[in-house]
Amino acid sequence: MKLYYSGNSPYARRARVAVREAGLLNQVEEINLGDRADRMDVLLANGPGAKVPVLATADGVAIWESLIICKYLDEVSGGKLYPADRAERQTTLQLEAMGSVLMDALFVRSREKRRDPGEQSPGVIELEAERARRTYDALEAMGSRLDGRLDNGCFTIVATLGYADWRHPDDDWRDGRPKLLAAYDALMQRPSLADTAPVF
Ligand SMILES: N[C@@H](CCC(=O)N[C@@H](CS)C(=O)NCC(=O)O)C(=O)O
């Protein structure tokens, strides 16, 4: 399999972490499209969305959308990314959803802030900033339910918070959120997350 990614993309990091946590790193060649001149050609050859990450499977099928890639990797690994127990799985899905909402909120706000000043929408920036604040607080309110969890929900949250550190350091998500910080610090000990951290 081939996984196309770019360095600090939180979506790509989610897929890269999933590859490692699923124990499939030896079956996946990771290809950093970064600033490659043929980036668009490679992406378009793998689907109309032209976004990273994209997973080209051994059967020649291209799968895009980071969450769907995670579901596929979970299936290939025999269920290493989601718990089998129904109640536990619901919590995983809830965390994964919160991480996804936060990832989108941070990404949209960052993209908006990188537009020409005259084209930026203060309304969009504030809307997404407020969404992020609410989600940081909701994660903190999960409290000890985050402790010791190892699943695609937690991995998604750490990938997202790493992106917040890069693009939105002023969010200070650690400030007043000790439980979230403790869970983050513990999960960052895992090679899957340490080795894929954004570089900035
Ligand atoms: N929903 C997608 C989002 C992927 C995404 O937006 N990737 C960004 C990089 S962080 C991208 O490739 N953007 C290129 C573009 O918007 O043209 C996923 O979960 O994979």
Side-chain angles (χ1 to χ4, degrees), residues 21-87:
E21 294 289 347
L24 296 171
L25 195 52
N26 60 350
Q27 295 181 42
V28 177
E29 180 190 355
E30 292 187 315
I31 300 168
N32 188 353
L33 291 179
D35 294 330
R36 260 173 61 168
D38 62 347
R39 172 190 167 102
M40 203 57 176
D41 294 337
V42 174
L43 288 175
L44 284 173
N46 284 283
K51 293 181 181 181
V52 289
V54 176
L55 182 75
T57 71
D59 303 318
V61 175
I63 300 175
W64 61 95
E65 286 293 315
S66 54
L67 264 185
I68 296 175
I69 292 172
C70 292
K71 306 285 179 210
Y72 177 79
L73 294 171
D74 182 61
E75 205 176 292
V76 173
S77 72
K80 292 215 169 105
L81 300 175
Y82 298 86
D85 176 78
R86 192 166 168 213

